Amino acid sequence: MRPTPRRALAATLLTLAATAALSLPAPPSEAAPAPEAVCTPTQAVANGGFESGAASWTASSSSLITTRAGQSAHGGTGYAWLGGTGSTHTDTLTQSVTVPSGCARATLSFWLHVDTAETTGSTAYDKLTAKIGSTTLATYSNLDKNTGYTRKSFDVSAFAGQTVTLALTGTEDYSLRTNFVLDDIALDTEDTTTPPADGTRTPIAPSYTVSLSSDSTGTVWTGHQSATFTNASATPLGEVYLRLWDNYHGTCSAPPITVTGVTGGTAGALSVSCTALPITLATPLAQGQSATIGFDLGISVPSGADRFGHDGAFSFIGNALPVLAVKDGAGWHLDPYTNNGESFYSLAADFRVTLDHPSTLLVPATGTSVDTPGSSGRTVTTATATQVRDFAWAAGPFSKISGTSAAGTPINVYSVTGISSANAQSMLTTARTAVDAHASRFGAYPYGELDAVIDNNFWFGGMEYPGFVLDLVSTTALTHEIGHQWWYGIVGDDEYTSPWLDESFTDYATDLALGKAGANCWNSVSWASSAEKITNSMAYWDTHSSRYSTVVYGYGKCALHDLRRLIGDTAMAKLLKDYATSHWYGVSTTAEFKAAAQAATSTDLTSFWTTHRIEG
């Protein structure tokens, strides 16, 4: 969420007093030698995004690495295209890589798209083989055709300390072409000192199925929800927690979110101001085991132009669906709701949400939506979303305009009464430009369509959800919220513990998309105290709310601009794209980003983190 409109934030930065005791010094001009380490986490594949043409690769044909029309890149413009001839043919693409020794893990990954003219559903006529050294990692074929890119990853830790050949070979038989399209190939290593990986976070792979029906106004919704999930931890999972975030907006005696009739477990007492509901599972889950819980759900939208509220006839329903809390080595994450920013922390999940509503109401939502006729005077909107962290929707007699970005993302702009057609069109133009600008830097937008709901009565500047944003009429704010599709949506984080990982990164991305280089970023900057850090949690910012935007948005993005100036534009661009790729649908931590940044440069960044108050 933008806690204040962007113009207010800019004014705040311009009027900061320069007289406080602790001013930010400039980054050091000369770096000390890098300290010795057993393992330096690094990216072993060179030019894995093919943005430098064939550099570092050996290809059987000069046409394999391309930007030509007919296929598209996962991110940027370059990609590798094997096959596609429809005749007996073999393509090869190789690179010699050295896997660093002493690291806890080495992971090879790439993004693959397969389309084919083959009609069989059982015979693999055309194949793509991925090998490292003499080991075959996987073989794909025309049977693996898909509508977009999918990420493939392999543990190659056994090759630590070795220089081996990474080889991709595509073969076709005598007829009917198959295209194997690859992009963003990476071989990442991780140090033992990094925090637990996603595998230790649990429960994983949530799948939510929801069926709700609204009243005549779209402010009251009732129905049923189920959640299927898997225990990833070696420790048996005997309970889960549902986060009922929007109970913050009511009272425990009259909560706006009600969960009753639980199946698959036994509900306990609500806690954390009635935003956390424990459910003891019928049988504890061992590692790898799955379970399903179900419950009846009621949602009552309060009055107010908020991320959960209604502005007259227009309802905004964010964070209303109960989602599973995350448990890791630190235990259950049951942080309180914050109205100053975000508390939300969830793992990527699949949603199928059916919304039965009056036909007079339009219902924009996360994911891709299909409308079908319901009972008399009603419409059923079915929204499907994969690998998203949350689900939000709106309901009201919106005005709607649509368009498509140059890269092919469908955009819908929904406006409340009072938004002029010119302003709506301006926001559509902004959205079309912004989604492609961010995708070119961080990876292709994966969520199908993108819905922007515009209301100038919002007290905040904007709010992000996967594939769905709330915003004022503001080019900067909308570009920012769309940037959150990557920094929070695709690359997740614990927003309560580390708000800078989504807000600072998104504001930096916004600057880049708007052509701003962060010049004079630190003009009139001062720190309020020695305890004030860019990396402070929402627990700190809730008690220092007047400083939240200034430090997390302003100083945070300035620090990233400084990092870019220190390591160079090209290295910074590669760092962020590689980092997004390696954390795609995963969770970022400050320690992981610092390690990735250090691996991207020979300059010792120790003093940089200290100077910029980036800890963790």
Side-chain angles (χ1 to χ4, degrees):
M1 174 187 280
R2 305 289 307 221
T4 58
R6 185 63 181 85
R7 55 184 177 272
L9 175 56
T12 300
L13 288 173
L14 288 172
T15 57
L16 284 172
T19 56
L22 298 167
S23 296
L24 182 81
S29 57
E30 231 174 272
E36 293 184 5
V38 175
C39 167
T40 301
T42 189
Q43 171 52 251
V45 171
N47 189 29
F50 305 109
E51 299 305 310
S52 300
S56 303
W57 293 96
T58 300
S60 58
S61 167
S62 61
S63 64
L64 294 191
I65 297 174
T66 182
T67 59
R68 70 184 187 272
Q71 298 290 340
S72 59
H74 172 256
T77 58
Y79 58 94
W81 185 351
L82 283 67
T85 67
S87 59
T88 303
H89 184 75
T90 298
D91 289 322
T92 59
L93 188 65
T94 64
Q95 182 178 143
S96 178
V97 296
T98 300
V99 185
S101 60
C103 296
R105 179 179 302 151
T107 302
L108 175 70
S109 65
F110 54 82
W111 289 84
L112 173 65
H113 166 66
V114 181
D115 62 68
T116 184
E118 300 283 1
T119 58
T120 179
S122 58
T123 304
Y125 291 114
D126 309 317
K127 299 178 181 179
L128 174 75
T129 301
K131 296 179 66 175
I132 186 166
S134 60
T135 300
T136 298
L137 299 174
T139 298
Y140 306 96
S141 73
N142 47 279
L143 301 178
D144 296 296
K145 62 183 179 181
N146 55 334
T147 56
Y149 277 94
T150 56
R151 184 173 185 262
K152 311 296 183 181
S153 63
F154 312 89
D155 187 342
V156 293
S157 304
F159 296 90
Q162 300 180 39
T163 298
V164 291
T165 298
L166 169 62
L168 298 154
T169 304
T171 59
E172 291 182 282
D173 71 350
Y174 61 90
S175 68
L176 299 179
R177 63 172 178 78
T178 298
N179 299 302
F180 299 103
V181 188
L182 298 118
D183 200 359
D184 293 327
I185 302 173
L187 201 165
D188 298 285
T189 53
E190 300 175 35
D191 194 355
T192 55
T193 60
T194 58
D198 274 3
T200 64
R201 299 180 178 101
T202 200
I204 61 167
S207 178
Y208 300 98
T209 302
V210 185
S211 179
L212 297 172
S213 180
S214 82
D215 66 354
S216 61
T217 67
T219 59
V220 176
W221 299 77
T222 56
H224 191 267
Q225 178 173 339
S226 65
T228 300
F229 50 88
T230 300
N231 180 26
S233 172
T235 303
L237 186 67
E239 65 177 354
V240 294
Y241 280 85
L242 291 174
R243 296 313 308 260
L244 282 55
W245 288 113
D246 284 337
N247 279 349
Y248 166 88
H249 298 277
T251 64
C252 288
S253 59
I257 310 297
T258 58
V259 168
T260 57
V262 174
T263 59
T266 303
L270 286 164
S271 61
V272 196
S273 300
C274 296
T275 66
L277 178 67
I279 297 177
T280 302
L281 301 178
T283 304
L285 300 180
Q287 188 174 34
Q289 289 186 326
S290 302
T292 300
I293 57 173
F295 47 88
D296 296 324
L297 177 64
I299 300 171
S300 296
V301 182
S303 177
D306 206 338
R307 56 190 175 195
F308 179 60
H310 69 87
D311 182 11
F314 301 93
S315 293
F316 315 105
I317 311 170
N319 307 112
L321 294 184
V323 294
L324 291 162
V326 179
K327 182 183 182 183
D328 58 22
W332 287 103
H333 288 259
L334 302 176
D335 298 307
Y337 184 101
T338 175
N339 206 34
N340 194 30
E342 287 81 50
S343 303
F344 316 126
Y345 177 28
S346 54
L347 303 184
D350 295 341
F351 285 81
R352 180 178 174 83
V353 180
T354 301
L355 302 168
D356 185 326
H357 56 89
S359 299
T360 54
L361 305 180
L362 297 185
V363 180
T366 290
T368 301
S369 296
V370 176
D371 288 344
T372 56
S375 59
S376 179
R378 296 182 70 86
T379 296
V380 177
T381 298
T382 301
T384 304
T386 59
Q387 298 287 2
V388 297
R389 300 182 191 280
D390 204 349
F391 186 98
W393 72 100
F398 295 101
S399 297
K400 176 186 177 184
I401 59 173
S402 299
T404 304
S405 77
T409 298
I411 311 287
N412 303 303
V413 172
Y414 295 81
S415 302
V416 304
T417 303
I419 303 296
S420 70
S421 59
N423 280 338
Q425 188 62 50
S426 173
M427 291 300 91
L428 177 60
T429 299
T430 294
R432 293 169 62 184
T433 301
V435 72
D436 286 352
H438 295 314
S440 69
R441 290 183 173 90
F442 311 124
Y445 178 75
Y447 296 144
E449 66 189 38
L450 172 63
D451 294 340
V453 179
I454 310 299
D455 185 345
N456 274 337
N457 291 330
F458 290 136
W459 66 267
F460 50 89
M463 181 62 199
E464 70 279 1
Y465 295 98
F468 177 97
V469 299
L470 305 173
D471 225 308
L472 307 170
V473 176
S474 167
T475 295
T476 303
L478 185 57
T479 302
H480 176 98
E481 301 312 328
I482 292 173
H484 272 305
Q485 301 302 307
W486 284 263
W487 304 106
Y488 143 76
I490 298 167
V491 181
D493 64 287
D494 180 344
E495 293 183 301
Y496 189 85
T497 300
S498 303
W500 90 288
L501 287 171
D502 52 277
E503 297 297 359
S504 300
F505 282 59
T506 298
D507 233 25
Y508 174 77
T510 301
D511 271 7
L512 297 183
L514 296 178
K516 298 178 181 179
N520 303 316
C521 218
W522 295 107
N523 280 359
S524 301
V525 165
S526 59
W527 297 100
S529 74
S530 60
E532 191 170 78
K533 309 284 196 303
I534 289 174
T535 48
N536 281 349
S537 74
M538 289 308 305
Y540 177 89
W541 298 120
D542 278 346
T543 59
H544 301 80
S545 59
S546 66
R547 298 287 294 167
Y548 171 58
S549 292
T550 298
V551 178
V552 174
Y553 290 75
Y555 297 5
K557 77 169 179 184
C558 288
L560 293 174
H561 278 300
D562 281 357
L563 181 61
R564 172 178 55 81
R565 283 184 278 263
L566 180 62
I567 70 174
D569 290 358
T570 300
M572 185 67 169
K574 184 177 188 303
L575 164 64
L576 289 182
K577 185 177 181 183
D578 289 348
Y579 191 76
T581 298
S582 64
H583 289 77
W584 205 263
Y585 301 140
V587 175
S588 170
T589 67
T590 298
E592 288 171 335
F593 176 71
K594 288 170 66 175
Q598 184 60 79
T601 180
S602 59
T603 300
D604 180 10
L605 296 179
T606 302
S607 62
F608 178 90
W609 308 126
T610 301
T611 298
H612 290 79
R613 301 193 181 199
I614 294 173
E615 297 182 353

